[in-house]
Amino acid sequence: MAAWLDVVCIISVGALVIFSNKKGIFNIKGLSNNGLVITRILSTLPLTVLLYCLREHKKEHEKSKEKNTNLKRECDEQRSQNENLIKEIVKINAQNDKLHEEKTTLKRELNELEQEFVWKTIRQIEVGFVLNINSRHPEVLVDSAASQVRFVGNTQGPDRWYCVTGSQELSRNHYWEVEVGEKSSWAIGVVTKEIKEKNIISESTDDEFWIIRLCRGKKLEAVQSSTVTELQKSPKKVGVYLKGNLLSFYDVETRQRIHNFHIECSGPLFAVFSPGSRDKGPLILKAKGF
């Protein structure tokens, strides 16, 4: 709009000057009174047009200023709304973090209570073993007085898992504990009747067994026949719980479960104890004798 008014002003003033020069309107000599009036009116026309243009310029400027003011106010309002929204988001995030923390705490406490309940329940059925001396490998010594099982052969060479088993078949609700201490190799768990008769846990056969074992003081493994799963930190004392077809191993000191096996075997099962072949330290268990 302002540019259009500028053009009008320029054209109007230019046209007036050209017309005046051609017609001699501003030549006041010999003009009557009426001519003088017309001459004066025409002489003020450029100024009138200029004033009109300036006034229109001012109006446009004020409108633009008002528009900018409104836009600035809207921006300020939007900024304020955004800041309030950000504050609400921060507040909600803080509440969510607090709720998550409370949920985590409750979950941990619930797990602890559940573990405590399970632990007390299974330890109530803890039993000692009558070890079957006839199932003892010749290089495994069983000390009935101290309830210890130890390896007495040559500790050099490959790992050998000579063993001794319990004399009685396990019920399907049975718990026992074995102290392994600082031994560098050992294996404990459950085996079938075939391994009981062979006195050795061998991965090269089709015999079924479910054990955890420590190899050379470094690798703790869960072994189900030929399937080996590497585990984490080695315990000093192991709790073994057979409930139905579920066999669970626990770290007695931390009360944390180490590993589970689901046993798909309906035949008789026996507890097995192998002191390994890397050291002559004992496995210590609660036993009733032979």
Side-chain angles (χ1 to χ4, degrees), residues 114-127:
E114 183 180 2
Q115 287 179 1
E116 184 69 21
F117 174 77
V118 171
W119 193 250
K120 288 182 178 179
T121 301
I122 64 178
R123 294 200 82 180
Q124 288 176 355
I125 60 172
E126 181 182 2
V127 295

Side-chain angles (χ1 to χ4, degrees), residues 41-103:
I41 292 173
L42 291 176
S43 65
T44 61
L45 183 59
L47 181 59
T48 302
V49 173
L50 181 60
L51 290 174
Y52 174 79
C53 292
L54 291 175
R55 185 167 60 251
E56 291 300 318
H57 269 294
K58 184 178 180 181
K59 288 181 181 179
E60 290 294 327
H61 177 70
E62 290 176 351
K63 287 181 180 180
S64 178
K65 184 178 179 181
E66 182 180 0
K67 184 177 180 181
N68 290 337
T69 300
N70 293 336
L71 184 60
K72 184 177 181 300
R73 183 173 62 253
E74 291 176 0
C75 290
D76 292 340
E77 291 175 354
Q78 186 64 47
R79 185 181 300 110
S80 177
Q81 292 176 359
N82 290 342
E83 291 175 353
N84 292 333
L85 183 60
I86 291 173
K87 290 179 181 178
E88 288 296 323
I89 292 174
V90 171
K91 184 178 179 180
I92 292 173
N93 287 339
Q95 292 174 347
N96 287 340
D97 291 341
K98 185 177 180 181
L99 288 173
H100 179 71
E101 183 178 351
E102 292 176 351
K103 180 181 178 181

Side-chain angles (χ1 to χ4, degrees), residues 99-268:
L99 288 173
H100 179 71
E101 183 178 351
E102 292 176 351
K103 180 181 178 181
T104 302
T105 301
L106 289 173
K107 186 176 180 180
R108 183 178 64 252
E109 292 175 351
L110 180 62
N111 287 337
E112 290 174 355
L113 288 173
E114 183 180 2
Q115 287 179 1
E116 184 69 21
F117 174 77
V118 171
W119 193 250
K120 288 182 178 179
T121 301
I122 64 178
R123 294 200 82 180
Q124 288 176 355
I125 60 172
E126 181 182 2
V127 295
F129 277 97
V130 176
L131 297 178
N132 185 1
I133 193 170
N134 295 324
S135 71
R136 175 182 63 87
H137 189 277
E139 295 188 23
V140 173
L141 175 66
V142 178
D143 184 343
S144 61
S147 303
Q148 297 181 355
V149 177
R150 67 177 72 235
F151 178 68
V152 293
N154 186 353
T155 57
Q156 303 300 315
D159 287 317
R160 286 149 289 163
W161 304 104
Y162 302 141
C163 62
V164 61
T165 64
S167 61
Q168 297 180 348
E169 177 185 346
L170 292 170
S171 71
R172 292 299 176 119
N173 189 25
H174 212 121
Y175 176 78
W176 63 99
E177 293 179 356
V178 183
E179 184 176 342
V180 297
E182 299 295 334
K183 280 181 60 59
S184 61
S185 68
W186 48 264
I188 56 178
V190 170
V191 297
T192 57
K193 186 177 180 179
E194 288 75 15
I195 290 182
K196 175 185 175 182
E197 295 172 350
K198 294 177 181 177
N199 308 325
I200 183 172
I201 304 171
S202 175
E203 295 179 53
S204 62
T205 69
D206 294 328
D207 298 330
E208 292 184 284
F209 56 88
W210 302 264
I211 62 170
I212 62 172
R213 70 186 181 191
L214 181 66
C215 303
R216 305 190 180 190
K218 297 179 180 180
K219 279 198 310 182
L220 181 64
E221 299 174 333
V223 188
Q224 178 178 353
S225 298
S226 59
T227 303
V228 179
T229 303
E230 189 168 344
L231 304 177
Q232 300 300 318
K233 184 179 178 181
S234 175
K236 299 294 186 294
K237 191 173 186 179
V238 181
V240 188
Y241 181 39
L242 178 63
K243 177 68 172 178
N245 291 330
L246 181 65
L247 178 66
S248 302
F249 295 87
Y250 292 88
D251 184 329
V252 176
E253 293 181 348
T254 64
R255 301 184 179 182
Q256 297 295 315
R257 186 157 40 200
I258 300 171
H259 192 69
N260 281 339
F261 286 114
H262 291 276
I263 299 177
E264 298 179 359
C265 174
S266 59

